[in-house]
mmCIF file of all heavy atoms in Angstrom:
data_model
loop_
_atom_site.group_PDB
_atom_site.id
_atom_site.type_symbol
_atom_site.label_atom_id
_atom_site.label_comp_id
_atom_site.label_asym_id
_atom_site.label_seq_id
_atom_site.Cartn_x
_atom_site.Cartn_y
_atom_site.Cartn_z
ATOM 1 N N ARG F 1 2.418 -16.450 2.212
ATOM 2 C CA ARG F 1 1.175 -17.050 1.740
ATOM 3 C C ARG F 1 0.126 -15.974 1.541
ATOM 4 O O ARG F 1 -0.708 -16.037 0.602
ATOM 5 C CB ARG F 1 0.691 -18.090 2.720
ATOM 6 C CG ARG F 1 -0.669 -18.718 2.325
ATOM 7 C CD ARG F 1 -1.130 -19.694 3.402
ATOM 8 N NE ARG F 1 -2.495 -20.161 3.098
ATOM 9 C CZ ARG F 1 -3.566 -19.506 3.482
ATOM 10 N NH1 ARG F 1 -3.506 -18.406 4.175
ATOM 11 N NH2 ARG F 1 -4.755 -19.995 3.130
ATOM 12 N N LEU F 2 0.074 -14.962 2.429
ATOM 13 C CA LEU F 2 -0.831 -13.915 2.302
ATOM 14 C C LEU F 2 -0.339 -12.800 1.338
ATOM 15 O O LEU F 2 -1.037 -12.321 0.464
ATOM 16 C CB LEU F 2 -1.111 -13.247 3.650
ATOM 17 C CG LEU F 2 -1.989 -14.050 4.637
ATOM 18 C CD1 LEU F 2 -2.013 -13.355 5.952
ATOM 19 C CD2 LEU F 2 -3.396 -14.192 4.077
ATOM 20 N N VAL F 3 0.932 -12.415 1.539
ATOM 21 C CA VAL F 3 1.461 -11.239 0.881
ATOM 22 C C VAL F 3 1.526 -11.393 -0.636
ATOM 23 O O VAL F 3 1.295 -10.418 -1.364
ATOM 24 C CB VAL F 3 2.816 -10.854 1.457
ATOM 25 C CG1 VAL F 3 3.512 -9.803 0.641
ATOM 26 C CG2 VAL F 3 2.686 -10.387 2.893
ATOM 27 N N VAL F 4 1.827 -12.565 -1.130
ATOM 28 C CA VAL F 4 1.946 -12.737 -2.567
ATOM 29 C C VAL F 4 0.662 -13.250 -3.200
ATOM 30 O O VAL F 4 0.645 -13.546 -4.367
ATOM 31 C CB VAL F 4 3.181 -13.611 -2.939
ATOM 32 C CG1 VAL F 4 4.436 -13.048 -2.399
ATOM 33 C CG2 VAL F 4 2.961 -15.039 -2.472
ATOM 34 N N GLY F 5 -0.346 -13.442 -2.406
ATOM 35 C CA GLY F 5 -1.618 -13.898 -2.938
ATOM 36 C C GLY F 5 -2.303 -12.790 -3.693
ATOM 37 O O GLY F 5 -2.239 -11.609 -3.383
ATOM 38 N N GLN F 6 -3.025 -13.162 -4.768
ATOM 39 C CA GLN F 6 -3.643 -12.167 -5.632
ATOM 40 C C GLN F 6 -4.718 -11.363 -4.896
ATOM 41 O O GLN F 6 -4.846 -10.145 -5.076
ATOM 42 C CB GLN F 6 -4.271 -12.891 -6.852
ATOM 43 C CG GLN F 6 -4.938 -11.917 -7.875
ATOM 44 C CD GLN F 6 -3.883 -10.994 -8.525
ATOM 45 O OE1 GLN F 6 -2.903 -11.482 -9.045
ATOM 46 N NE2 GLN F 6 -4.100 -9.701 -8.435
ATOM 47 N N SER F 7 -5.552 -12.055 -4.106
ATOM 48 C CA SER F 7 -6.644 -11.287 -3.418
ATOM 49 C C SER F 7 -6.057 -10.335 -2.410
ATOM 50 O O SER F 7 -6.648 -9.251 -2.192
ATOM 51 C CB SER F 7 -7.557 -12.307 -2.717
ATOM 52 O OG SER F 7 -6.877 -13.130 -1.758
ATOM 53 N N TYR F 8 -4.943 -10.701 -1.769
ATOM 54 C CA TYR F 8 -4.301 -9.737 -0.866
ATOM 55 C C TYR F 8 -3.794 -8.507 -1.643
ATOM 56 O O TYR F 8 -4.000 -7.346 -1.232
ATOM 57 C CB TYR F 8 -3.115 -10.411 -0.122
ATOM 58 C CG TYR F 8 -2.327 -9.521 0.744
ATOM 59 C CD1 TYR F 8 -2.712 -9.276 2.061
ATOM 60 C CD2 TYR F 8 -1.140 -8.904 0.309
ATOM 61 C CE1 TYR F 8 -2.012 -8.413 2.876
ATOM 62 C CE2 TYR F 8 -0.417 -8.097 1.125
ATOM 63 C CZ TYR F 8 -0.852 -7.840 2.386
ATOM 64 O OH TYR F 8 -0.117 -7.015 3.196
ATOM 65 N N ALA F 9 -3.106 -8.732 -2.754
ATOM 66 C CA ALA F 9 -2.647 -7.630 -3.590
ATOM 67 C C ALA F 9 -3.755 -6.745 -4.040
ATOM 68 O O ALA F 9 -3.666 -5.518 -4.048
ATOM 69 C CB ALA F 9 -1.845 -8.189 -4.775
ATOM 70 N N ASP F 10 -4.893 -7.374 -4.438
ATOM 71 C CA ASP F 10 -6.048 -6.600 -4.921
ATOM 72 C C ASP F 10 -6.629 -5.779 -3.735
ATOM 73 O O ASP F 10 -7.036 -4.634 -3.944
ATOM 74 C CB ASP F 10 -7.115 -7.545 -5.428
ATOM 75 C CG ASP F 10 -6.708 -8.179 -6.767
ATOM 76 O OD1 ASP F 10 -5.710 -7.699 -7.354
ATOM 77 O OD2 ASP F 10 -7.390 -9.116 -7.210
ATOM 78 N N ALA F 11 -6.689 -6.357 -2.530
ATOM 79 C CA ALA F 11 -7.247 -5.631 -1.445
ATOM 80 C C ALA F 11 -6.426 -4.432 -1.066
ATOM 81 O O ALA F 11 -6.923 -3.343 -0.755
ATOM 82 C CB ALA F 11 -7.377 -6.607 -0.223
ATOM 83 N N LEU F 12 -5.130 -4.618 -1.108
ATOM 84 C CA LEU F 12 -4.223 -3.446 -0.833
ATOM 85 C C LEU F 12 -4.394 -2.380 -1.883
ATOM 86 O O LEU F 12 -4.474 -1.187 -1.526
ATOM 87 C CB LEU F 12 -2.777 -3.894 -0.795
ATOM 88 C CG LEU F 12 -2.290 -4.699 0.440
ATOM 89 C CD1 LEU F 12 -0.833 -5.113 0.258
ATOM 90 C CD2 LEU F 12 -2.473 -3.867 1.709
ATOM 91 N N GLN F 13 -4.467 -2.796 -3.124
ATOM 92 C CA GLN F 13 -4.553 -1.824 -4.202
ATOM 93 C C GLN F 13 -5.897 -1.109 -4.162
ATOM 94 O O GLN F 13 -6.000 0.100 -4.388
ATOM 95 C CB GLN F 13 -4.394 -2.481 -5.576
ATOM 96 C CG GLN F 13 -4.287 -1.515 -6.712
ATOM 97 C CD GLN F 13 -3.882 -2.190 -8.023
ATOM 98 O OE1 GLN F 13 -4.097 -3.361 -8.182
ATOM 99 N NE2 GLN F 13 -3.297 -1.432 -8.935
ATOM 100 N N ALA F 14 -6.963 -1.836 -3.818
ATOM 101 C CA ALA F 14 -8.285 -1.222 -3.738
ATOM 102 C C ALA F 14 -8.366 -0.138 -2.702
ATOM 103 O O ALA F 14 -9.073 0.841 -2.785
ATOM 104 C CB ALA F 14 -9.354 -2.260 -3.499
ATOM 105 N N ARG F 15 -7.551 -0.308 -1.626
ATOM 106 C CA ARG F 15 -7.571 0.663 -0.535
ATOM 107 C C ARG F 15 -6.350 1.628 -0.652
ATOM 108 O O ARG F 15 -6.027 2.345 0.315
ATOM 109 C CB ARG F 15 -7.570 -0.057 0.809
ATOM 110 C CG ARG F 15 -8.881 -0.718 1.067
ATOM 111 C CD ARG F 15 -8.781 -1.773 2.137
ATOM 112 N NE ARG F 15 -10.122 -2.345 2.423
ATOM 113 C CZ ARG F 15 -10.702 -3.236 1.715
ATOM 114 N NH1 ARG F 15 -10.144 -3.694 0.575
ATOM 115 N NH2 ARG F 15 -11.926 -3.701 1.992
ATOM 116 N N GLU F 16 -5.665 1.608 -1.799
ATOM 117 C CA GLU F 16 -4.508 2.469 -2.046
ATOM 118 C C GLU F 16 -3.410 2.309 -1.013
ATOM 119 O O GLU F 16 -2.713 3.241 -0.670
ATOM 120 C CB GLU F 16 -4.976 3.953 -2.106
ATOM 121 C CG GLU F 16 -5.996 4.268 -3.145
ATOM 122 C CD GLU F 16 -6.326 5.723 -3.190
ATOM 123 O OE1 GLU F 16 -5.434 6.574 -3.421
ATOM 124 O OE2 GLU F 16 -7.502 6.058 -2.973
ATOM 125 N N LEU F 17 -3.274 1.053 -0.464
ATOM 126 C CA LEU F 17 -2.233 0.779 0.504
ATOM 127 C C LEU F 17 -0.983 0.362 -0.237
ATOM 128 O O LEU F 17 -0.548 -0.800 -0.253
ATOM 129 C CB LEU F 17 -2.706 -0.316 1.453
ATOM 130 C CG LEU F 17 -3.822 0.088 2.441
ATOM 131 C CD1 LEU F 17 -4.277 -1.092 3.301
ATOM 132 C CD2 LEU F 17 -3.347 1.248 3.317
ATOM 133 N N GLU F 18 -0.349 1.313 -0.885
ATOM 134 C CA GLU F 18 0.835 1.087 -1.662
ATOM 135 C C GLU F 18 1.945 1.973 -1.132
ATOM 136 O O GLU F 18 1.687 3.063 -0.641
ATOM 137 C CB GLU F 18 0.578 1.371 -3.144
ATOM 138 C CG GLU F 18 -0.451 0.438 -3.787
ATOM 139 C CD GLU F 18 -0.039 -0.990 -3.883
ATOM 140 O OE1 GLU F 18 1.225 -1.239 -3.838
ATOM 141 O OE2 GLU F 18 -0.890 -1.897 -3.948
ATOM 142 N N PRO F 19 3.206 1.554 -1.270
ATOM 143 C CA PRO F 19 4.303 2.359 -0.768
ATOM 144 C C PRO F 19 4.559 3.628 -1.552
ATOM 145 O O PRO F 19 4.419 3.677 -2.791
ATOM 146 C CB PRO F 19 5.510 1.383 -0.891
ATOM 147 C CG PRO F 19 5.149 0.502 -2.045
ATOM 148 C CD PRO F 19 3.656 0.306 -1.956
ATOM 149 N N VAL F 20 4.910 4.644 -0.815
ATOM 150 C CA VAL F 20 5.369 5.900 -1.433
ATOM 151 C C VAL F 20 6.644 6.289 -0.739
ATOM 152 O O VAL F 20 7.046 5.696 0.311
ATOM 153 C CB VAL F 20 4.324 7.053 -1.259
ATOM 154 C CG1 VAL F 20 3.067 6.707 -1.964
ATOM 155 C CG2 VAL F 20 4.032 7.313 0.204
ATOM 156 N N SER F 21 7.381 7.237 -1.247
ATOM 157 C CA SER F 21 8.661 7.607 -0.676
ATOM 158 C C SER F 21 8.489 8.267 0.679
ATOM 159 O O SER F 21 7.472 8.919 0.939
ATOM 160 C CB SER F 21 9.404 8.569 -1.606
ATOM 161 O OG SER F 21 8.767 9.838 -1.661
ATOM 162 N N VAL F 22 9.460 8.083 1.552
ATOM 163 C CA VAL F 22 9.429 8.616 2.944
ATOM 164 C C VAL F 22 9.401 10.141 2.848
ATOM 165 O O VAL F 22 8.660 10.795 3.636
ATOM 166 C CB VAL F 22 10.618 8.143 3.737
ATOM 167 C CG1 VAL F 22 10.729 8.888 5.035
ATOM 168 C CG2 VAL F 22 10.537 6.655 3.959
ATOM 169 N N THR F 23 10.152 10.732 1.932
ATOM 170 C CA THR F 23 10.124 12.201 1.850
ATOM 171 C C THR F 23 8.798 12.746 1.457
ATOM 172 O O THR F 23 8.362 13.782 1.971
ATOM 173 C CB THR F 23 11.195 12.655 0.842
ATOM 174 O OG1 THR F 23 10.972 12.013 -0.444
ATOM 175 C CG2 THR F 23 12.610 12.322 1.326
ATOM 176 N N GLU F 24 8.075 12.014 0.612
ATOM 177 C CA GLU F 24 6.737 12.452 0.188
ATOM 178 C C GLU F 24 5.775 12.428 1.399
ATOM 179 O O GLU F 24 4.971 13.297 1.561
ATOM 180 C CB GLU F 24 6.248 11.550 -0.952
ATOM 181 C CG GLU F 24 4.916 12.021 -1.525
ATOM 182 C CD GLU F 24 4.400 11.141 -2.666
ATOM 183 O OE1 GLU F 24 5.130 10.217 -3.059
ATOM 184 O OE2 GLU F 24 3.320 11.362 -3.149
ATOM 185 N N VAL F 25 5.837 11.351 2.135
ATOM 186 C CA VAL F 25 5.001 11.201 3.346
ATOM 187 C C VAL F 25 5.230 12.326 4.319
ATOM 188 O O VAL F 25 4.340 13.001 4.855
ATOM 189 C CB VAL F 25 5.179 9.849 4.023
ATOM 190 C CG1 VAL F 25 4.407 9.753 5.325
ATOM 191 C CG2 VAL F 25 4.715 8.715 3.097
ATOM 192 N N MET F 26 6.535 12.561 4.636
ATOM 193 C CA MET F 26 6.877 13.529 5.652
ATOM 194 C C MET F 26 6.519 14.971 5.193
ATOM 195 O O MET F 26 6.140 15.799 6.005
ATOM 196 C CB MET F 26 8.359 13.458 6.006
ATOM 197 C CG MET F 26 8.744 12.155 6.677
ATOM 198 S SD MET F 26 7.771 11.736 8.157
ATOM 199 C CE MET F 26 8.233 13.121 9.255
ATOM 200 N N SER F 27 6.630 15.234 3.895
ATOM 201 C CA SER F 27 6.312 16.583 3.432
ATOM 202 C C SER F 27 4.832 16.812 3.376
ATOM 203 O O SER F 27 4.388 17.985 3.533
ATOM 204 C CB SER F 27 6.946 16.779 2.020
ATOM 205 O OG SER F 27 6.390 15.875 1.085
ATOM 206 N N ASN F 28 4.045 15.778 3.208
ATOM 207 C CA ASN F 28 2.593 15.949 3.088
ATOM 208 C C ASN F 28 1.833 15.676 4.396
ATOM 209 O O ASN F 28 0.885 16.349 4.711
ATOM 210 C CB ASN F 28 2.029 15.028 2.016
ATOM 211 C CG ASN F 28 2.373 15.489 0.593
ATOM 212 O OD1 ASN F 28 1.648 16.351 0.059
ATOM 213 N ND2 ASN F 28 3.465 14.987 0.048
ATOM 214 N N GLN F 29 2.320 14.655 5.121
ATOM 215 C CA GLN F 29 1.609 14.305 6.376
ATOM 216 C C GLN F 29 2.562 13.993 7.505
ATOM 217 O O GLN F 29 2.350 13.106 8.335
ATOM 218 C CB GLN F 29 0.671 13.113 6.142
ATOM 219 C CG GLN F 29 -0.487 13.429 5.178
ATOM 220 C CD GLN F 29 -1.656 12.486 5.332
ATOM 221 O OE1 GLN F 29 -1.639 11.371 4.815
ATOM 222 N NE2 GLN F 29 -2.667 12.935 6.045
ATOM 223 N N GLY F 30 3.602 14.822 7.619
ATOM 224 C CA GLY F 30 4.573 14.647 8.690
ATOM 225 C C GLY F 30 3.962 14.830 10.069
ATOM 226 O O GLY F 30 4.341 14.133 11.002
#
């Protein structure tokens, strides 16, 4: 109910809370 709601998606996107690859995370902020 929350995760697929439009306002939830917008809130995540506004705060750049989007998935990136694990290798990218570990190489930049391991």
Side-chain angles (χ1 to χ4, degrees):
R1 177 183 173 273
L2 286 174
V3 170
V4 303
Q6 183 64 54
S7 57
Y8 176 84
D10 290 347
L12 285 178
Q13 188 171 25
R15 290 163 176 79
E16 300 182 60
L17 291 175
E18 297 294 337
V20 298
S21 69
V22 171
T23 54
E24 185 180 356
V25 173
M26 294 306 296
S27 62
N28 286 275
Q29 294 203 279

